[in-house]
Amino acid sequence: MRPMVQESPTFSPLYRQIKGLILQALEAGEWRPGEAIPSETELAARFGVSQGTVRKAIDEMAAENLLLRRQGKGTFVATHSDPRAFFRFLRLVPLAGGIEQSSSRPLECWRAKAGQEASRTLGIKLGDPIIIVRRVLEFSAKPVVVDEIYLPGETFAGLSLDVLKDSQGSLYSLFETRFGVRMIRAEERIRAVAADRANAELLRVPEGSPLLSVERVSYTYGDKPVEWRRGLYSTAEHCYYNDLG
């Protein structure tokens, strides 16, 4: 049965409704990360709209990094395994220029019960199971970021320190491939702090050195929060870069 779309001016534009239907299919796992979605012609027939309406919906989703157009090959579901996705969620660049690949060194991974802040931020009940991960992110074998990451326990059941150590890709790639959780967008709050003794040792900087405190909440489909991350960034050789164009 073909999905119903509304054209009344009291509803969102038609292409936005089609975008919503495509998002529902992505959330349901109809097309997995890295897989091709049907052609614009096929989607137009499926939803009973013009090909131009579908194209406008896909254009917007491509601009939001949800889909990826490949010339001559079609449109694919974006994936964190694509090297081009690396810089989207980690905006650290060396002061000398260029882009460096990072490597993750997991320190700890344990289960706990959500306190008030974690339950509010992750949209779960007080006392629900959570998983807490601590890791160091290194660039050119130098520690640059210390992360403390809070995850809903039910969503990431089976995550352990061994799993983290065995993972070869990025953390978000692991979440996507092993747990079926794709990060769609994130909100960050950034402020300056001084390094305490423990984190100064991990980052190999003098105690009291200026660090960036970056607090992030990441969301998957349906605007559902699935990660709360608190990171400390050393800016001795790196800066936080954001293109506002």
Side-chain angles (χ1 to χ4, degrees), residues 46-86:
R46 169 173 171 167
F47 297 132
V49 297
S50 70
Q51 189 173 336
T53 298
V54 171
R55 182 177 300 117
K56 193 170 182 180
I58 290 176
D59 284 344
E60 187 166 288
M61 295 179 71
E64 295 173 355
N65 298 297
L66 298 170
L67 298 174
L68 178 66
R69 291 190 183 277
R70 294 179 181 166
Q71 188 67 33
K73 296 182 178 180
T75 302
F76 295 76
V77 182
T79 171
H80 290 294
S81 298
D82 190 329
R84 287 169 290 187
F86 168 77

Side-chain angles (χ1 to χ4, degrees), residues 106-128:
L107 302 175
E108 297 178 274
C109 179
W110 73 96
R111 297 182 68 85
K113 293 184 178 180
Q116 290 186 350
E117 195 170 6
S119 64
R120 181 179 66 252
T121 304
L122 293 173
I124 58 180
K125 295 179 181 178
L126 187 67
D128 274 1

Side-chain angles (χ1 to χ4, degrees), residues 198-217:
N199 287 302
E201 290 179 358
L202 286 171
L203 292 171
R204 300 178 199 163
V205 298
E207 186 177 353
S209 295
L211 302 175
L212 282 183
S213 170
V214 182
E215 182 175 350
R216 175 193 300 173
V217 180

Side-chain angles (χ1 to χ4, degrees), residues 143-206:
V144 179
V145 180
V146 176
D147 274 327
E148 189 166 90
I149 302 167
Y150 299 78
L151 305 164
E154 292 184 2
T155 304
F156 293 93
L159 183 63
S160 67
L161 188 60
D162 286 339
V163 169
L164 292 167
K165 288 181 176 180
D166 289 341
S167 176
Q168 299 299 313
S170 71
L171 197 59
Y172 282 179
S173 179
L174 172 67
F175 291 168
E176 179 181 276
T177 56
R178 185 167 182 130
F179 301 98
V181 178
R182 172 164 170 76
M183 304 302 181
I184 301 301
R185 70 176 189 89
E187 297 174 351
E188 289 187 335
R189 292 175 174 82
I190 303 175
R191 61 190 179 93
V193 298
D196 60 21
R197 180 177 299 176
N199 287 302
E201 290 179 358
L202 286 171
L203 292 171
R204 300 178 199 163
V205 298

Side-chain angles (χ1 to χ4, degrees), residues 86 90 92 100-102 137-145 238:
F86 168 77
L90 183 63
L92 274 183
E100 289 180 317
Q101 290 294 323
S102 65
L137 206 59
E138 297 179 339
F139 293 80
S140 301
K142 296 180 180 179
V144 179
V145 180
H238 294 77

